[in-house]
Amino acid sequence: MKKIYLNITIILIAFLAFGFFIYSRVKDASTIIEARKYQNNGNYEKSAELYLKALKETPNNFNFYRELAIIYRHTGEQIKLKQIFDDGLKVNPDDKYFLVNAGWMNFKDKKYAEAEKQFEKVFNKDKKNANIAFMYARTLQEEGKFREALEIFQIALKNGFDKKRCHLNIASIYECGFNDYKKALEYYNLYLEEATDKDKKIVDKIKDFTQWNIGEKLEQEGKYAEAIEEYNKQLKGGNTSIAVYSRLGRAYRKNCDFLTGESIYVKALGKYENNYYILNNLGSLYFKIERYKDALSCWFDAIKKDPEKPNAYYNLGTLNTKLGNFDKAEEYYLKALQKGYDRADVYIQLYQMATKYMKNRDKAVEYAYIVREYPQYINALLPIDRTEPRKTEETISEKETKKEDIKSENNIEQQTKEKQKQTEIKTENENKEESKKEDIKSEKVEQQTKEEQKQTEIKTENENKEESKKEDIKSEKIEQQTKEEQKQPEIKTENTLPETKETVKENKEPEKEKINQITEENKKEEIKQDIKQKDNKKEEQKNTKEKIDSDNEIPAFSAPPI
């Protein structure tokens, strides 16, 4: 019975597992169908959301990683794409598509070690795939594994990969990796057979450079005749650049064929007038054959042509050392140092000058102290100076630092002075402008006061005229009234009872006198009143003027402090 129950439970578990498996498959298929609908409609965000949601439920479903990789590649989201490749390879580490793409992304990010592992895994499974072989070889090349890279490039060539690209990379390996310039030239020529015009221009320059390197390598090996042949090949091939002439002349000088070397340099100067490098090299040739005046003139001409290059200054230092002008030599060496010449090389020359020619032990110790900063040049010193040197009162490096400090202080002082001058000029200009503005304002105020005074004077004159007219009219009226009053008593006397002529005459005379007295008194009083009114008006006008003057008075101007 127990066995029967066990079998039944096992069957039930298997059935449930199978059912769950089918359910998950169906569910996954439905999410893929739904997500692809959004994807086809261009709604990549929604489809990506569905896949990510599904991955949380079933993280080992590799199909979701594939679909997400397609979406992120389409949208160009490189960071998310790389993350999907890395996560997908954890689920399925042997997937070819994911390995190649992850390797390519690591190669672009210069993570060559990771890229090498991924390309190697794919290459070992499919060695006939030319594209994978080429990418694997390029990764090895970038890592500096040149021999392995050469082997894989050859496999890529056999499997039909682009010959042009393979030959170019093989040439660069021979040139930069092995310094085998002849072999590099072979592959550059193979590249040029299939290259376009644009590519040919670039590679021709590279080819010229490799030919120079061949010549230089032969010079370094002491094979000057072979180096001369190599440089002459370049001239015959149409490469008549300054570099070729310069190196050819140098090879003749090293081969002790000074006349031919001189003729090469003179020919180059005819083509490239007063070229710095040719003048400098010709000066070196004259120095070698002890034509010191010619060497001096060449180096001075080179400095005139380009005073910022250091080589001619350095050469003038060596020449003055030879002639015994040690102070001048030191001056030129330090100038070469300022213009960018190698510091260690300059101080080695100064040290040798102090020990061999000057026999100045103090200076030799100072120079040795600086040379000891460069362990690779310590053998250039005497055994005594290789140990800890005795310090003098002030070493050259300290002098240099002091000079630099003084220069910086002087520069700061000059800058502060210039700033002060600028501020003073600004304040002066501002004060001038303010004074001008205030002068203009005062002029305007004066003009306004004058105009107001004129207007008040005109008003007062008009008022006086009107008042005088009114007074004249009043006086005329008074005179008329007096005349009428004088006439009225005569009329009254005539209309009264009749009297004799004598009585009438007697009565008229005193009446006339009374009337005249009254009229005169009235006139005097009116005149007095008029005079008083005029005086009062004048006083009022004066008061108004004084008020206007007091209001328009300009306060004393005090200039602002400078």
Side-chain angles (χ1 to χ4, degrees):
M1 286 293 289
K2 286 181 180 179
K3 286 182 180 180
I4 293 163
Y5 283 125
L6 278 170
N7 290 326
I8 290 163
T9 52
I10 290 162
I11 291 160
L12 284 168
I13 290 162
F15 183 76
L16 287 167
F18 181 72
F20 180 75
F21 175 75
I22 290 165
Y23 171 74
S24 62
R25 286 287 183 184
V26 170
K27 194 178 177 183
D28 292 345
S30 63
T31 52
I32 289 167
I33 291 161
E34 191 179 354
R36 279 182 179 174
K37 281 180 184 178
Y38 286 115
Q39 194 174 336
N40 292 328
N41 292 324
N43 194 348
Y44 297 106
E45 288 183 10
K46 188 69 178 173
S47 61
E49 280 178 20
L50 287 169
Y51 285 130
L52 290 166
K53 193 177 179 182
L55 272 173
K56 286 178 182 178
E57 293 175 3
T58 53
N60 293 325
N61 193 329
F62 191 71
N63 292 320
F64 293 146
Y65 289 106
R66 275 181 171 277
E67 295 294 333
L68 280 167
I70 293 162
I71 288 166
Y72 290 140
R73 174 163 277 183
H74 192 83
T75 55
E77 295 175 86
Q78 297 296 318
I79 296 164
K80 289 181 180 180
L81 180 62
K82 192 175 184 307
Q83 189 62 47
I84 287 295
F85 284 136
D86 292 337
D87 293 341
L89 285 169
K90 288 173 186 176
V91 176
N92 187 2
D94 296 324
D95 186 77
K96 183 180 172 182
Y97 175 78
F98 268 50
L99 282 167
V100 171
N101 283 287
W104 172 240
M105 292 190 87
N106 284 318
F107 180 84
K108 284 198 291 184
D109 293 338
K110 296 183 179 180
K111 295 177 181 178
Y112 300 119
E114 292 176 24
E116 184 194 346
K117 288 175 185 176
Q118 287 156 349
F119 285 130
E120 187 182 9
K121 206 168 190 179
V122 181
F123 177 74
N124 288 331
K125 287 182 178 181
D126 188 5
K127 289 187 178 181
K128 290 183 179 180
N129 192 320
N131 291 317
I132 292 163
F134 180 80
M135 282 310 303
Y136 181 36
R138 282 285 294 115
T139 309
L140 291 167
Q141 184 184 353
E142 292 295 333
E143 284 190 290
K145 297 177 179 179
F146 300 118
R147 293 198 182 282
E148 293 173 27
L150 277 175
E151 288 176 10
I152 305 297
F153 275 127
Q154 294 295 342
I155 291 165
L157 275 170
K158 284 178 184 177
N159 292 330
F161 195 79
D162 185 14
K163 289 180 181 179
K164 190 173 68 172
R165 290 171 72 184
C166 284
H167 288 148
L168 186 63
N169 283 288
I170 291 165
S172 66
I173 286 170
Y174 277 117
E175 184 180 4
C176 304
F178 301 123
N179 294 329
D180 190 346
Y181 302 112
K182 287 184 178 179
K183 201 78 176 169
L185 272 175
E186 284 179 23
Y187 279 99
Y188 280 130
N189 287 323
L190 287 169
Y191 171 84
L192 288 169
E193 286 176 7
E194 297 180 5
T196 59
D197 292 333
K198 285 183 181 179
D199 295 333
K200 279 178 182 177
K201 285 179 182 178
I202 297 162
V203 174
D204 278 334
K205 289 180 181 178
I206 298 165
K207 193 178 165 185
D208 293 337
F209 184 70
T210 50
Q211 284 178 322
W212 297 339
N213 286 331
I214 291 165
E216 281 202 343
K217 193 180 178 185
L218 290 165
E219 281 184 62
Q220 287 169 7
E221 291 170 358
K223 298 174 182 178
Y224 302 120
E226 290 179 27
I228 288 163
E229 281 180 19
E230 195 63 42
Y231 293 134
N232 278 318
K233 275 182 190 178
Q234 288 183 22
L235 283 173
K236 287 174 184 176
N239 186 4
T240 57
S241 63
I242 294 162
V244 175
Y245 278 115
S246 183
R247 292 175 190 210
L248 181 60
R250 186 181 64 192
Y252 277 118
R253 173 171 63 80
K254 287 180 179 179
N255 203 32
C256 298
D257 191 350
F258 301 111
L259 286 171
T260 312
E262 185 185 5
S263 66
I264 291 292
Y265 285 133
V266 170
K267 189 179 178 182
L269 283 171
K271 193 169 185 179
Y272 302 101
E273 191 177 354
N274 291 330
N275 181 268
Y276 177 87
Y277 296 104
I278 293 165
L279 285 165
N280 188 51
N281 288 331
L282 182 59
S284 298
L285 187 142
Y286 287 140
F287 178 78
K288 186 77 174 173
I289 57 176
E290 297 182 356
R291 285 168 60 178
Y292 299 130
K293 286 184 180 179
D294 293 330
L296 271 173
S297 65
C298 282
W299 287 329
F300 282 133
D301 289 341
I303 288 165
K304 282 179 187 176
K305 182 69 179 174
D306 193 346
E308 295 303 314
K309 285 190 171 67
N311 301 49
Y313 293 109
Y314 182 83
N315 290 331
L316 284 167
T318 55
L319 178 59
N320 280 290
T321 305
K322 188 82 172 173
L323 296 172
N325 302 325
F326 303 119
D327 293 332
K328 273 276 181 192
E330 188 176 12
E331 184 186 333
Y332 281 117
Y333 277 133
L334 292 172
K335 267 191 180 178
L337 191 67
Q338 285 174 5
K339 302 296 178 184
Y341 206 85
D342 183 50
R343 188 168 182 268
D345 200 1
V346 168
Y347 281 110
I348 286 164
Q349 292 300 321
L350 288 167
Y351 170 77
Q352 288 175 355
M353 181 178 75
T355 50
K356 286 183 184 178
Y357 302 107
M358 296 171 72
K359 294 182 180 178
N360 187 334
R361 188 71 197 133
D362 291 334
K363 279 202 170 186
V365 170
E366 288 175 11
Y367 295 137
Y369 182 75
I370 293 164
V371 174
R372 285 182 73 253
E373 293 174 11
Y374 304 92
Q376 65 268 32
Y377 298 114
I378 203 151
N379 292 327
L381 303 174
L382 293 170
I384 304 164
D385 297 321
R386 290 175 196 171
T387 58
E388 187 68 31
R390 63 183 178 83
K391 289 189 179 179
T392 56
E393 291 178 0
E394 193 176 33
T395 60
I396 290 167
S397 60
E398 287 171 356
K399 285 178 184 177
E400 283 179 359
T401 53
K402 278 188 179 181
K403 283 178 183 178
E404 288 175 358
D405 292 335
I406 290 160
K407 280 181 182 179
S408 63
E409 284 174 5
N410 291 329
N411 289 327
I412 290 161
E413 285 177 2
Q414 285 178 355
Q415 286 174 358
T416 51
K417 284 178 181 178
E418 285 176 358
K419 283 179 181 178
Q420 285 176 355
K421 283 181 182 179
Q422 287 175 357
T423 51
E424 286 173 2
I425 291 160
K426 280 182 181 179
T427 51
E428 285 177 4
N429 292 326
E430 285 173 359
N431 290 327
K432 284 178 182 178
E433 286 177 358
E434 285 177 358
S435 62
K436 282 179 182 179
K437 286 177 182 178
E438 287 172 355
D439 292 333
I440 291 160
K441 281 181 182 179
S442 62
E443 286 175 1
K444 285 181 179 179
V445 171
E446 285 177 1
Q447 286 178 356
Q448 286 176 356
T449 52
K450 284 178 181 179
E451 286 175 357
E452 286 174 356
Q453 285 175 358
K454 282 180 182 180
Q455 287 175 359
T456 50
E457 286 174 359
I458 291 160
K459 281 181 181 179
T460 51
E461 284 178 2
N462 292 326
E463 286 173 357
N464 290 327
K465 284 179 182 180
E466 287 176 356
E467 285 174 358
S468 62
K469 283 179 181 179
K470 286 177 181 179
E471 287 171 358
D472 292 334
I473 291 160
K474 281 181 182 180
S475 62
E476 285 176 358
K477 284 180 180 180
I478 290 161
E479 284 177 358
Q480 285 177 0
Q481 285 175 359
T482 52
K483 284 178 182 180
E484 285 175 356
E485 285 174 357
Q486 286 173 2
K487 285 178 183 178
Q488 282 174 359
E490 289 177 359
I491 293 158
K492 283 179 182 178
T493 54
E494 286 175 359
N495 292 325
T496 56
L497 294 168
E499 293 179 355
T500 60
K501 287 180 180 180
E502 291 176 359
T503 55
V504 171
K505 282 179 183 180
E506 287 175 0
N507 292 325
K508 279 182 182 179
E509 285 175 0
E511 284 174 0
K512 280 181 182 179
E513 287 175 0
K514 284 179 183 179
I515 291 158
N516 288 326
Q517 284 176 1
I518 292 158
T519 53
E520 284 175 1
E521 286 174 0
N522 290 327
K523 279 182 181 179
K524 284 177 181 179
E525 285 177 1
E526 285 175 356
I527 288 159
K528 283 178 182 179
Q529 286 175 0
D530 293 332
I531 290 160
K532 282 180 181 180
Q533 286 176 357
K534 284 180 181 180
D535 291 332
N536 290 325
K537 283 180 180 180
K538 284 178 181 179
E539 283 176 0
E540 286 175 359
Q541 287 172 0
K542 282 180 183 179
N543 290 325
T544 53
K545 281 183 184 180
E546 286 174 0
K547 281 181 182 179
I548 290 159
D549 293 333
S550 64
D551 292 333
N552 292 326
E553 272 184 2
I554 299 160
F557 173 70
S558 62
I562 296 169

